[in-house]
Amino acid sequence: DVKVTQSSRYLVKRTGEKVFLECVQDMDHENMFWYRQDPGLGLRLIYFSYDVKMKEKGDIPEGYSVSREKKERFSLILESASTNQTSMYLCAATRQLYQPQHFGDGTRLSIL
Amino acid sequence: QKEVEQNSGPLSVPEGAIASLNCTYSDRGSQSFFWYRQYSGKSPELIMSIYSNGDKEDGRFTAQLNKASQYVSLLIRDSQPSDSATYLCAVEGSSNTGKLIFGQGTTLQVKP
């Protein structure tokens, strides 16, 4: 089975901090995704990546950046955290197009 | 904007009944369709994938796809209280990016 691991289940940070969320997958999957999920707004795509050092903007990239230096690791960076970035963050991976995405356990991030 | 529509519910069914969850999508070129189950506070878990018109059965779950009507559904037979969750419909569109478009989800309540 696919294993997608997110580094933290819960995280509390302060406004203005630079925040790193890490995601690692163990199945040599090409494609990785970062979402945030908020009540009433559903899952929204922030960024995704097809390969090492490649990245594409999703629907809500503002205030975020990503890094993919190795195939198995995809990091989401909040450059200067703000309270409106308090959310559940979900990482997903898929081997190729038209295959299902598999999610990590999620990181519930609170910005105070 | 490509969309995926679900009735938010809650859909309430008695234990042992059939639960029917529905989803419509706007992108006629969509190729892949997925159902995810999400328990409160947890990440989405894949339960069904379907790619061709017709029915696909897996245990108590049956996914139905009708591309002409742009409609996909999930039937849960012999519903159990443990099936109580939010069910997300996800569609991979025709853009060949691997991106999924998620519906807002339908909350299912199975009453003992």
Side-chain angles (χ1 to χ4, degrees), chain A residues 9 33 35 37 40-43 45 48 50 57-59 88 90 97-106 108, chain B residues 1 31-32 34 36 38 41-46 49 51 88 92-100 102-104:
Chain A
R9 289 297 309 276
F33 305 80
Y35 296 88
Q37 187 175 33
L41 297 177
L43 277 160
L45 182 64
F48 59 107
Y50 293 128
K57 292 180 179 179
D59 300 318
M88 169 73 104
L90 291 159
L97 297 182
Y98 311 120
Q99 295 300 309
Q101 293 180 16
H102 299 276
F103 286 84
D105 288 338
R108 188 164 293 282
Chain B
Q1 174 73 10
Q31 303 282 340
S32 309
F34 309 100
Y36 289 85
Q38 187 173 26
K42 303 293 187 181
S43 64
E45 170 193 12
L46 179 72
S49 307
Y51 302 93
L88 302 172
E92 183 166 355
S94 55
S95 59
N96 294 325
T97 61
K99 291 169 59 175
L100 294 182
F102 286 85
Q104 293 283 332

Side-chain angles (χ1 to χ4, degrees), chain A residues 3-109:
Chain A
K3 181 72 173 174
V4 179
T5 302
Q6 294 184 233
S7 53
S8 305
R9 289 297 309 276
Y10 301 95
L11 206 54
V12 179
K13 296 291 182 181
R14 298 212 172 270
T15 55
E17 282 193 67
K18 191 169 186 176
V19 181
F20 294 84
L21 302 182
E22 306 288 344
C23 176
V24 176
Q25 49 94 0
D26 68 350
M27 291 294 290
D28 200 31
H29 280 35
E30 299 287 336
N31 309 308
M32 298 185 75
F33 305 80
W34 274 107
Y35 296 88
R36 64 178 284 178
Q37 187 175 33
D38 302 285
L41 297 177
L43 277 160
R44 293 182 290 169
L45 182 64
I46 305 171
Y47 268 97
F48 59 107
S49 170
Y50 293 128
D51 205 346
V52 175
K53 298 192 184 297
M54 296 185 70
K55 60 184 179 183
E56 297 282 345
K57 292 180 179 179
D59 300 318
I60 53 163
E62 297 78 18
Y64 303 94
S65 63
V66 290
S67 172
R68 195 167 182 196
E69 297 296 319
K70 293 185 178 181
K71 192 172 188 177
E72 66 270 19
R73 185 180 297 271
F74 191 36
S75 303
L76 179 69
I77 304 158
L78 285 66
E79 297 290 345
S80 178
S82 63
T83 54
N84 63 12
Q85 292 177 310
T86 291
S87 186
M88 169 73 104
Y89 288 87
L90 291 159
C91 176
T94 183
R95 186 180 300 278
Q96 58 185 326
L97 297 182
Y98 311 120
Q99 295 300 309
Q101 293 180 16
H102 299 276
F103 286 84
D105 288 338
T107 296
R108 188 164 293 282
L109 175 65

Side-chain angles (χ1 to χ4, degrees), chain B residues 11 22 31 41 47-48 57 60 65 97 103:
Chain B
L11 173 65
N22 304 314
Q31 303 282 340
I47 52 173
M48 290 288 284
E57 187 174 318
R60 295 187 296 111
L65 175 61
T97 61

